[in-house]
Amino acid sequence: MKICALIRMVPDLVEELEIDENGTEIYPSMYIANERDEQAVEEAIILKEKHGGTVEVVGIADDEVSTEIDEPLAMAIAKGADKAMKVNLSRPTYKRAELAKALAEFLKEREYDLILTGIQAIDGFAGMLGPMLATYMGLPYIGNVVYAELKDDHLLVRKELEGGVIGEYKVKLPAVIGIVSAEKPPRFVPFAKLRQAMKSAEIEEFDLDVPEIEGLEVERYYEPPKPEIVLIEGEPEEVAEKLIEVMKEIGVL
Amino acid sequence: MKDVMVVADVMENEIQEITFEMLGKAKELAQETGGSVVTVLIGNKLDGLVSNLGASDTVIYVEDEKLENFTPEFYRRVLSKVIEKVNPKIIMVGNTAFGTDLAGLVAAELDIPMVTSCMNLALRDGDILATSMAYGGKVLVDLVAKERGMFVINRGSFSSDAGKVEGSPNVEKLSPADLGVSLEDSIEFVGYIKPEVEDVDISKAEIVVAVGRGIGDESNIELAEELAEVLGGVVAGSRPVIDQGWLPRTRQVGRSGKTVAGKLYLALGISGATEHVEGVKAKNVIAVNTDPSAPIFRISRVGAVVDVLELLPVLIDKISEAKSG
Amino acid sequence: MRMDADSSMQDTYFERLSEIPNSDKYRQCLQCGTCGGSCPYGIATPFTPRRMILAIRANIIDELLESGAQWLCTSCYTCSYRCPSKIPLTDGIIPALRELSLLEGNPPEELAAALVNIARYGNPFKESPRKRINWTKELDFEIKILSAKEKSTDVLFIPECFGAYHRRCKEVTKAMVEIFKILGVDFAILGNDERCIGDLTRLSGEFGLFEDLVEKNMKVMSKYEFNRVVTIDAHAYHALKHEYPKFGFDKPVYHHTQFLAENLETLKSMFNELDYTVTYHDACYVGRRNGIYDEPRNVIRAILGVKFVEMKRIRENALCCGGGGGGVWLDSFIKEHLQERPAEDRVREAAATGADVLVTSCILDIPMFEDALKVTGLEGQLVVKDISELVLEALK
């Protein structure tokens, strides 16, 4: 099986996210690999270990994140990926449809049997990469997957539904799969091993043109209103009444 | 283009709550656009559910044996055709395992602008203004979809009251063939794997009632369980309670336990030690503790400085009243 | 990546072990069992240190790793201290085994997360490095932070990660800083450039990360002039005193108990009376590993009104709180193997002396013992204070 896993960088929320005065630009202080994409990379490696084949990891970079992506790519190599590639987008975009269209041709040429991507990212408010990519590539898609296994003529996947119920599906390859979590937690990579991978990993770079798709624009970014800390005291009756009000506000009652 | 479309989220012949939340909002939007609310119901043998969708003006019900269980490929083809047929201005889909697969597939196929994680929608000069919750809830994003859009709606964004109306909407029942949709599929549904009843995953629960040392004695856990039941939530505990053996380890919240991330976390008699708080990522925390300086209050929306054991029986009664009344 | 064969696992193991001084002493293991008999987890672990050496000799390291025994260690040093053959169990045998687990990619999750966070953010809590000195905002006076403008000081004070970020532990940091102020000490902190000193990473088998931390911390420290280091963190004390010099660090390092003892005459003249019955816990990396037993006792005894009582297991025989060696990040793993945590055993012992205050001197003791008090129901009976908190109380 020729597998591809996609990695995106997202703002690291441990650090402050600044919004400019007009609310039109957002300035992260630090970037980190998208957690769900890391799960996708892990699942790709697990599938390789189970069934053989190759894993190629494609990191998505642009002006804002050009070198930060090197570490997660090296991490993937340290875990067992065969090849790391970096696509440099002609311009950053928050629109997943634009990103998906840009990637579709590039990935199609490489004829992967399976493309894995995380189902969500904290900056994924405009569209969704997995299903859009699948559509532009003319491939089937299923998301929220937590397990995959190669059978004779299909990939058996388990999709997490609501209430802890899992749905099992047979997927004909080639396909795009959206991973929510790998079948095992991402393995640990010792610091020295990662450093070594960063020094020795050869990352092939490609330029990718990002098309413009009209119809959706961000008007502004802003912080949600902050709730005040409210302390209630008094008799249980009174307190209970007030708590019920709050629960109604929250929407649980 | 004036109609507002709601894609019904159905699981095992039950309409999910999110559908009613979307319907309520859809009605409001349709009034403004001057269009009608069209609910799309896809499945098999779901005729009985139509009357629950009374908040809609029209229900388009696409039925086929092969549609009995959700499969992305088949459903996306059906939904695309229905959208082409109705040409709605607004399409609302729930932020669920079902909705998130469908929305992206259809939006890409039909070139419809798509916004995820929506918590609000409004109309403005023929365009649609959507508010999305992004960056882990730290930033809200207002987006403008030109003339039409597909919106993936977060659970709990809108009240379901306005959407829960009995009625007899105009029903259009179709078969896939009517829509020109082929039956061959690249994704086939195999079956469901259901969890064992005992295995509650508190990290997936919307409402968690957690107890700490302040609950006093093992016998008082019952009260917490009653409260959880009446709220439709699950019981969890901080580490000391788990260590005592009062609750199984699968119910532990904190650095050494699970992380809760649902709508409400009720912290009863929990001090809020760093190790515990690391596991609390719920959207709203209500804490009860006799110590006003307990650190748990720092992460609470509301704190009650009162004895847990005195409060619980009263709270349980009042909630039962509120729910039945 | 999975290990290919036992022999390569064995090779990797011995390669690392050879870098630890005196590691070949394992060949002189008498199989006497003193280590296992002394170990706080001795009754719970599938492989005591004695059996670990047997396993290594028999080349069944994979079985040993699968049992997880390498994680049932709190680096308390009791085994190493008592070993008649002086085998470096704590510094060598066990960390090298842990490294193999790390290479396999499956250490206990909580610890794995702590290590990843230290590598990325310089602290195990996943807190921003820019918030490392936020505790200083809670003081009602300014303190010197070394920077391009302020390059020199007499004492470099190191709070370490728990002392900086942990809600309870930063009270100790603040207490110590107030004592410095009262004594008129010329001290400063490194500011947000301070990273985890790293003893936990070394003991967890993350040798690569430890080296990186040493490198980064020494680079930051080399920008400034200071005469000595004082720290409230016993593991930071140990690493700075014994490990950092291997990389060229050459400044004197003091634990805060030593500093307090050094200034005892001055402090004595300012002490008020305190009405406590106090017992003192000899933290592993203050006492057993570094021989600091009398200094803290002298300081406590110097406070008027304090009645001092000793526990049964004291000095080199003290029972570890269970927090060291990554223990503070291995709680759920350890709890699967044990009924009672060492910390719970220890607070019961403390309470049995009749004391109402348990004084500690290693920062990790505080969260470990305060949790244990909750679990054992001794919360009302006993409080935990760091020695600096006791001293400050006597000064006020």
Side-chain angles (χ1 to χ4, degrees):
Chain A
M1 236 196 325
K2 194 175 174 203
I3 308 170
C4 174
L6 302 172
I7 304 184
R8 289 163 284 180
M9 298 300 282
V10 294
D12 188 347
L13 294 180
V14 167
E15 297 291 358
E16 294 303 315
L17 253 184
E18 269 177 44
I19 306 173
D20 77 347
E21 316 177 318
N22 309 325
T24 48
E25 283 288 329
I26 207 160
Y27 300 107
S29 325
M30 242 169 105
Y31 287 90
I32 193 168
N34 178 28
E35 203 187 320
R36 300 273 157 248
D37 289 343
E38 290 196 302
Q39 297 284 344
V41 168
E42 184 69 28
E43 185 64 26
I45 309 254
I46 291 174
L47 283 170
K48 174 186 166 175
E49 286 171 348
K50 285 204 288 199
H51 307 296
T54 56
V55 172
E56 297 184 4
V57 183
V58 176
I60 297 161
D62 57 37
D63 294 335
E64 285 159 28
V65 283
S66 48
T67 52
E68 290 88 337
I69 196 121
D70 294 349
E71 195 179 290
L73 285 172
M75 176 84 90
I77 298 283
K79 290 183 179 185
D82 299 281
K83 192 173 152 115
M85 290 178 277
K86 180 155 77 172
V87 291
N88 294 305
L89 302 179
S90 56
R91 60 180 179 85
T93 175
Y94 55 78
K95 299 181 198 179
R96 294 297 191 247
E98 291 180 347
L99 177 60
K101 255 205 178 136
L103 283 170
E105 266 319 304
F106 176 79
L107 293 174
K108 221 173 181 169
E109 280 169 21
R110 278 158 179 75
E111 296 183 330
Y112 292 112
D113 296 308
L114 185 60
I115 298 171
L116 299 178
T117 181
I119 50 136
Q120 184 213 327
I122 56 174
D123 58 357
F125 47 81
M128 229 171 127
L129 183 59
M132 289 180 158
L133 179 65
T135 303
Y136 295 135
M137 289 179 75
L139 296 177
Y141 172 84
I142 185 164
N144 241 46
V145 168
V146 292
Y147 175 89
E149 193 185 322
L150 187 64
K151 300 286 194 185
D152 294 324
D153 65 342
H154 63 268
L155 190 71
L156 179 73
V157 304
R158 290 188 192 145
K159 178 188 170 71
E160 210 172 68
L161 300 165
E162 266 62 54
V165 179
I166 306 273
E168 268 197 330
Y169 297 82
K170 289 184 186 174
V171 180
K172 289 211 181 84
L173 299 180
V176 177
I177 308 271
I179 299 288
V180 61
S181 56
E183 43 194 272
K184 286 189 209 146
R187 68 202 67 193
F188 182 82
V189 174
F191 191 85
K193 202 167 175 196
L194 177 60
R195 279 287 161 270
Q196 179 59 38
M198 283 196 74
K199 280 195 204 130
S200 60
E202 283 164 26
I203 302 173
E204 208 183 330
E205 293 195 36
F206 300 87
D207 287 326
L208 220 60
D209 224 7
V210 179
E212 277 196 38
I213 300 180
E214 302 273 313
L216 185 65
E217 294 303 321
V218 164
E219 193 164 81
R220 66 175 181 132
Y221 298 99
Y222 54 104
E223 279 177 30
K226 281 191 180 59
E228 305 263 323
I229 301 178
V230 177
L231 281 187
I232 312 173
E233 287 172 281
E235 292 302 307
E237 282 280 324
E238 292 175 60
V239 173
E241 297 269 333
K242 291 197 186 141
L243 290 183
I244 302 242
E245 283 311 307
V246 175
M247 289 191 205
K248 286 185 178 165
E249 267 171 47
I250 296 172
V252 299
L253 279 184
Chain B
M1 274 193 297
K2 309 182 285 179
D3 294 333
V4 181
M5 178 179 278
V6 172
V7 180
D9 204 302
V10 177
M11 175 92 173
E12 298 205 281
N13 291 0
E14 253 189 70
I15 299 179
Q16 302 298 292
E17 191 75 3
I18 179 70
T19 310
F20 299 114
E21 293 169 14
M22 292 190 289
L23 276 172
K25 187 68 183 175
K27 269 178 78 169
E28 197 188 295
L29 293 167
Q31 259 160 24
E32 249 188 274
T33 62
S36 45
V37 176
V38 179
T39 300
V40 181
L41 186 63
I42 305 172
N44 198 34
K45 302 190 195 148
L46 298 178
D47 299 90
L49 296 181
V50 173
S51 59
N52 298 72
L53 299 167
S56 327
D57 297 301
T58 304
V59 173
I60 295 181
Y61 172 34
V62 185
E63 183 181 76
D64 192 280
E65 208 176 61
K66 279 198 160 194
L67 291 172
E68 185 149 329
N69 298 291
F70 168 67
T71 56
E73 272 307 292
F74 210 3
Y75 271 56
R76 59 94 70 94
R77 284 179 224 160
V78 167
L79 184 57
S80 288
K81 289 291 182 202
V82 172
I83 290 172
E84 277 175 347
K85 189 174 134 71
V86 173
N87 200 21
K89 186 178 187 64
I90 296 172
I91 305 155
M92 294 167 78
V93 162
N95 194 355
T96 64
F98 161 81
T100 49
D101 274 12
L102 267 190
L105 292 170
V106 173
E109 188 174 323
L110 301 178
D111 284 318
I112 301 175
M114 174 182 157
V115 181
T116 60
S117 195
C118 287
M119 34 181 283
N120 207 0
L121 288 177
L123 288 153
R124 200 178 67 189
D125 302 331
D127 296 329
I128 306 119
L129 188 66
T131 303
S132 176
M133 190 154 79
Y135 300 101
K138 287 192 172 183
V139 178
L140 295 180
V141 189
D142 278 352
L143 295 115
V144 179
K146 202 133 183 69
E147 287 179 19
R148 65 171 185 164
M150 164 94 71
F151 305 96
V152 181
I153 309 291
N154 285 352
R155 279 173 271 197
S157 300
F158 307 121
S159 154
S160 52
D161 290 341
K164 277 187 178 150
V165 173
E166 295 278 323
S168 28
N170 176 28
V171 180
E172 212 181 313
K173 194 162 169 182
L174 299 167
S175 72
D178 293 331
L179 291 166
V181 172
S182 82
L183 303 182
E184 131 224 340
D185 210 343
S186 37
I187 299 183
E188 199 187 306
F189 174 76
V190 173
Y192 291 117
I193 303 173
K194 307 244 176 107
E196 282 160 37
V197 182
E198 295 82 64
D199 252 331
V200 173
D201 187 354
I202 57 171
S203 66
K204 303 258 160 75
E206 282 299 308
I207 301 175
V208 177
V209 175
V211 294
R213 288 279 309 165
I215 200 74
D217 201 48
E218 185 169 0
S219 51
N220 297 325
I221 303 267
E222 250 172 47
L223 276 173
E225 285 176 341
E226 257 187 78
L227 179 59
E229 198 171 329
V230 91
L231 277 174
V234 299
V235 172
S238 62
R239 223 208 38 220
V241 162
I242 308 296
D243 283 350
Q244 301 281 72
W246 298 349
L247 285 172
R249 201 153 286 283
T250 47
R251 304 296 182 107
Q252 186 176 326
V253 176
R255 178 194 295 166
S256 307
K258 294 204 170 142
T259 300
V260 294
K263 209 185 254 185
L264 174 62
Y265 185 71
L266 257 162
L268 307 173
I270 294 177
S271 65
T274 315
E275 293 76 28
H276 179 77
V277 161
E278 276 175 28
V280 181
K281 305 279 180 229
K283 295 182 189 64
N284 295 284
V285 178
I286 296 180
V288 181
N289 200 301
T290 47
D291 176 8
S293 63
I296 191 82
F297 291 131
R298 274 177 237 145
I299 61 158
S300 312
R301 182 195 178 104
V302 155
V305 185
V306 75
D307 189 305
V308 173
L309 300 176
E310 282 177 37
L311 177 67
L312 281 188
V314 180
L315 188 61
I316 292 168
D317 283 339
K318 288 196 184 286
I319 293 175
S320 308
E321 266 177 56
K323 280 207 151 179
S324 59
Chain C
M1 280 205 306
R2 303 281 172 254
M3 287 286 136
D4 290 316
D6 284 347
S7 63
S8 83
M9 202 188 279
Q10 187 98 341
D11 289 343
T12 310
Y13 182 74
F14 284 113
E15 207 183 301
R16 174 60 73 187
L17 202 59
S18 66
E19 291 168 18
I20 312 286
N22 300 316
S23 57
D24 55 341
K25 294 218 174 193
Y26 83 90
R27 292 182 213 275
Q28 293 165 22
C29 172
L30 309 170
Q31 289 289 301
C32 66
T34 303
C35 50
S38 309
C39 174
Y41 299 126
I43 44 162
T45 181
F47 285 84
T48 56
R50 171 185 78 83
R51 296 195 69 227
M52 282 180 184
I53 293 182
L54 261 184
I56 293 161
R57 284 175 173 171
N59 197 7
I60 48 164
I61 294 185
D62 52 339
E63 239 182 82
L64 166 49
L65 289 181
E66 214 153 317
S67 76
Q70 67 278 20
W71 301 111
L72 283 169
C73 167
T74 184
S75 305
C76 74
Y77 202 66
T78 312
C79 57
S80 309
Y81 187 87
R82 295 178 183 174
C83 174
S85 301
K86 294 275 157 266
I87 301 166
L89 296 160
T90 314
D91 286 331
I93 299 285
I94 292 172
L97 282 172
R98 289 177 163 186
E99 188 180 34
L100 292 178
S101 276
L102 297 182
L103 284 164
E104 293 257 296
N106 56 8
E109 265 174 67
E110 242 190 287
L111 180 65
L115 293 171
V116 167
N117 290 334
I118 291 172
R120 190 175 161 84
Y121 304 109
N123 69 82
F125 305 107
K126 203 172 183 172
E127 288 281 357
S128 166
R130 293 172 216 214
K131 293 188 184 162
R132 200 172 176 103
I133 59 166
N134 276 12
W135 62 270
T136 59
K137 297 182 191 159
E138 296 168 29
L139 298 166
D140 49 23
F141 52 91
E142 301 269 321
I143 64 169
K144 190 165 35 168
I145 302 171
L146 293 173
S147 66
K149 292 187 210 144
E150 283 265 32
K151 283 194 174 182
S152 70
T153 185
D154 177 31
V155 168
L156 174 60
F157 173 55
I158 300 219
E160 245 295 45
C161 303
F162 273 79
Y165 290 103
H166 192 280
R167 188 192 49 84
R168 169 63 180 97
C169 297
K170 62 181 155 88
E171 298 307 310
V172 178
T173 307
K174 291 182 336 189
M176 196 62 215
V177 154
E178 258 197 85
I179 296 173
F180 282 146
K181 181 160 182 274
I182 292 172
L183 289 172
V185 176
D186 173 25
F187 76 99
I189 58 172
L190 278 175
N192 288 331
D193 289 336
E194 179 188 308
R195 285 176 93 76
C196 177
I197 299 297
D199 209 36
L200 141 72
T201 64
R202 176 183 72 87
L203 294 166
S204 297
E206 246 293 14
F207 297 100
L209 179 54
F210 181 63
E211 270 178 46
D212 183 69
L213 289 168
V214 173
E215 202 184 292
K216 291 194 165 110
N217 279 322
M218 279 182 58
K219 195 166 174 202
V220 170
M221 289 193 280
S222 67
K223 294 197 284 191
Y224 308 115
E225 283 156 28
F226 54 93
N227 297 322
R228 54 194 181 132
V229 174
V230 173
T231 180
I232 49 171
D233 188 299
H235 278 276
Y237 166 72
H238 181 83
L240 286 165
K241 193 165 169 75
H242 298 288
E243 298 293 330
Y244 276 59
K246 294 176 188 170
F247 297 86
F249 185 67
D250 60 1
K251 300 281 186 174
V253 185
Y254 294 89
H255 187 248
H256 70 306
T257 50
Q258 293 174 307
F259 176 84
L260 290 170
E262 196 186 282
N263 289 277
L264 192 52
E265 286 312 306
T266 321
L267 289 168
K268 243 192 212 174
S269 65
M270 299 190 274
F271 279 159
N272 298 312
E273 252 190 68
L274 287 182
D275 182 24
Y276 288 135
T277 304
V278 162
T279 188
Y280 173 72
H281 167 75
D282 287 289
C284 308
Y285 279 60
V286 179
R288 192 165 32 248
R289 278 221 83 155
N290 287 294
I292 303 171
Y293 301 117
D294 296 315
E295 290 91 323
R297 287 176 167 77
N298 294 341
V299 170
I300 295 170
R301 288 200 169 102
I303 303 175
L304 291 165
V306 164
K307 179 168 169 242
F308 187 88
V309 288
E310 292 275 21
M311 288 187 269
K312 285 217 161 89
R313 292 172 289 189
I314 60 167
R315 304 174 77 99
E316 65 272 14
N317 297 316
L319 176 66
C320 180
C321 74
V328 74
W329 304 103
L330 286 167
D331 189 72
S332 43
F333 179 85
I334 286 170
K335 193 59 187 173
E336 282 169 33
H337 295 259
L338 275 184
Q339 271 280 43
E340 188 185 62
R341 296 183 182 83
E344 292 156 33
D345 182 356
R346 191 59 165 166
V347 299
R348 281 194 227 275
E349 189 180 354
T353 62
D356 43 36
V357 181
L358 169 57
V359 173
T360 61
S361 58
C362 169
I363 203 101
L364 294 177
D365 288 333
I366 299 189
M368 298 303 292
F369 288 145
E370 286 188 349
D371 247 359
L373 286 177
K374 281 190 203 155
V375 174
T376 54
L378 288 167
E379 235 172 339
Q381 221 181 301
L382 197 58
V383 290
V384 183
K385 288 182 203 271
D386 182 85
I387 194 169
S388 58
E389 294 180 308
L390 186 74
V391 164
L392 186 63
E393 219 181 305
L395 290 174
K396 285 204 152 162

